[in-house]
Structure formats: C-alpha cells, structure tokens
Amino acid sequence: MEVSNTFGPIDIAISGMRAQNKQMEAITSNAINIHTTDNGRGEPYRRIEAIFKADDDDISGVSLDKIAKDTSDFYKVLKPGHPDADENGYVMMPNVDLATEMINLKSATRAYQANVAILKRYQKMVETTLELLR
Amino acid sequence: MININNNVSGSLNAIKGFLEHSPTSSGTGFKASEVGAEKQKSDFADTVNAVGKYLTKVDDLQQSSDMSMKDLLSGKNEDITSVVSAVAKADMSFKLLVGVRNKLIEAYKQTMNMPL
C-alpha cells in the first residue's frame, strides 16, 4: 500500500482495527469451544489463532494472513461418564487455556484501542492543520 | 540570523511542488508550474473553478460514506470499520473544503471592501 495521500493513516488504522477484530473472533471461538469434545470429525476442537501479515515491507497496513491451528497436544481429562470417553474413562479436551485466551483478548482490545486512538489523533492533526486557513 | 528570503522561497517551492502534484490544480488556469516561467496570471474565477473541481471529489466521498452507512443499516454490509473509514474521509475532505471556501470568501470580501 502506497501512502502518499492524506488518507493513508486512516486506511492503515482501519486495517489494524479490522485485523484485531479478526483476532477477537478467533479468541471468542476458542473461548466458547473450550469444552467442545467433538468438532464433527471425531476430534476435540483445536485452538485457532489469527496470523497477520504486513501488506508491504514499506509503510503499510496489516491484513489477515491465515487462521492457523494450534498443533499442541489436547488435554486429557478423566471423565468416565462422558459419551466421548475412551475405555479408561479419559476424554480428550481442546487445547484451549482460558487464561491464555483472556490475555490475548486483553492485548487484542488494547491494540484495537491503539488504532482508534491513532485515528482520532490523526483527525485532530488534520484539523489543526486546517486551522491555519483561518 | 535567519535568512528570511531563503525561508520564504523554500516554502514557496514546497507549495509549488505540492500544487504540481496535487490532482485538483491540474487543467485549470491556476498552474503553479508556469508561475515562475512566464508569470501567467490567474484570476479569481480560475481559483473558484479549481475549488469547484475539488467539490466533486468531496461529493464522491460524501456519497460513498452515505452508501456505506445505508448498507450497514440495511444489513447488506456488516463491517462497521469501513463505515468509520468512509465517514472519516468524508469529514476530513469536507472540513478542508469549508476552510478553503471561507478563505476564498474572505479574500473576495476584502477585495470588495478595498477603498478606491
């Protein structure tokens, strides 16, 4: 993305807001599926994470690269009565840690706020410049 | 000591460069690139026409911000950030337009009130 116009910072801040929106979506999906033992293919839910990439190696906005799956091991919990339990009574639970998701949610929120703050400040800056016309 | 002449010409050059690259000033009588060369005169109407060309751009931005708001409210588009972006751009360009317009009117009034 080439930034040579007045609207460059707006576009970049908006792309950041969109990216963090996506990140929050992934976190929500992880958080609500923390006890999902079946993802429809006989496996527990696998934690996902939004991976971002810069649009350019110059001044650029950010965009979603991919939604990546967390390849770490599932948790094994003893739940003999559970329908998805194996013969020893263990159930494979999603590899989601709620504390991690909470921290990620906080950081996504802060990053979103940072983008909004930049957008606001940039608008103020332009207004200050326009005051020179008065 | 600050060399004022140097400063002034430097900023004038900067303005000239800006006007040469800005799309709104092309194709009108208000051509900064020729100012130095042959002292081409531009009258007030040309400047107003240049602003008139900018007006359609501002209107386009206003229209697109209007459209994105309508799309959001009618459920066609659920991305609120695009609305924010369109509105911010429309707002910014409109403020610039109003600033330039006020300045132009002020200049006109000052000229008209000049004692002859």
Side-chain angles (χ1 to χ4, degrees):
Chain A
M1 185 200 290
E2 195 197 343
V3 181
S4 56
N5 55 10
T6 339
F7 296 147
I10 296 183
D11 287 332
I12 293 180
I14 293 291
S15 82
M17 282 158 73
R18 279 211 186 100
Q20 296 307 327
N21 228 349
K22 214 68 198 165
Q23 176 83 298
M24 249 178 247
E25 218 174 296
I27 292 167
T28 317
S29 162
N30 290 337
I32 60 153
N33 280 306
I34 191 165
H35 291 130
T36 309
T37 52
D38 191 359
N39 65 354
R41 291 186 295 277
E43 247 198 342
Y45 172 83
R46 202 170 261 291
R47 184 176 172 271
I48 55 171
E49 197 160 338
I51 309 289
F52 302 139
K53 68 171 192 307
D55 292 330
D56 197 357
D57 61 353
D58 206 18
I59 295 176
S60 78
V62 67
S63 60
L64 183 76
D65 188 15
K66 59 183 172 225
I67 299 283
K69 296 221 184 252
D70 188 340
T71 52
S72 63
D73 291 338
F74 292 123
Y75 290 117
K76 212 173 177 187
V77 183
L78 185 64
K79 272 191 182 173
H82 200 283
D84 290 330
D86 60 8
E87 62 268 21
N88 297 321
Y90 283 102
V91 183
M92 299 300 264
M93 292 301 249
N95 52 351
V96 178
D97 178 25
L98 205 54
T100 315
E101 300 309 324
M102 210 58 222
I103 299 293
N104 286 344
L105 181 63
K106 277 230 183 278
S107 104
T109 315
R110 293 287 181 242
Y112 192 93
Q113 282 173 347
N115 280 303
V116 174
I118 289 169
L119 188 58
K120 259 193 204 160
R121 189 61 68 87
Y122 182 67
Q123 280 179 310
K124 276 240 167 70
M125 258 170 67
V126 172
E127 269 173 45
T128 316
T129 314
L130 290 182
E131 269 173 31
L132 288 174
L133 282 175
R134 284 181 207 143
Chain B
M1 267 288 275
I2 304 163
N3 189 343
I4 293 175
N5 267 342
N6 230 351
N7 273 348
V8 168
S9 68
S11 52
L12 272 182
N13 276 337
I15 292 170
K16 262 187 223 163
F18 170 71
L19 286 174
E20 272 165 33
H21 290 116
S22 104
T24 49
S25 70
S26 61
T28 65
F30 195 60
K31 265 213 173 135
S33 53
E34 290 165 22
V35 167
E38 47 185 81
K39 288 255 184 268
Q40 198 185 35
K41 290 208 176 101
S42 72
D43 55 19
F44 191 72
D46 287 339
T47 320
V48 174
N49 284 337
V51 174
K53 283 204 170 154
Y54 181 70
L55 203 77
T56 56
K57 281 184 114 182
V58 175
D59 188 48
D60 284 350
L61 286 165
Q62 294 281 347
Q63 297 283 345
S64 74
S65 106
D66 224 39
M67 278 306 291
S68 67
M69 248 187 283
K70 265 183 202 152
D71 283 354
L72 182 80
L73 292 176
S74 65
K76 212 189 279 175
N77 169 29
E78 289 175 357
D79 184 18
I80 197 160
T81 49
S82 65
V83 180
V84 173
S85 148
V87 171
K89 284 176 185 174
D91 177 58
M92 216 172 254
S93 61
F94 189 72
K95 274 181 181 152
L96 174 62
L97 179 71
V98 170
V100 171
R101 164 198 166 272
N102 287 344
K103 200 77 189 170
L104 274 176
I105 289 176
E106 197 189 313
Y108 177 77
K109 275 186 182 161
Q110 271 185 16
T111 316
M112 280 317 184
N113 287 335
M114 219 185 289
L116 291 175

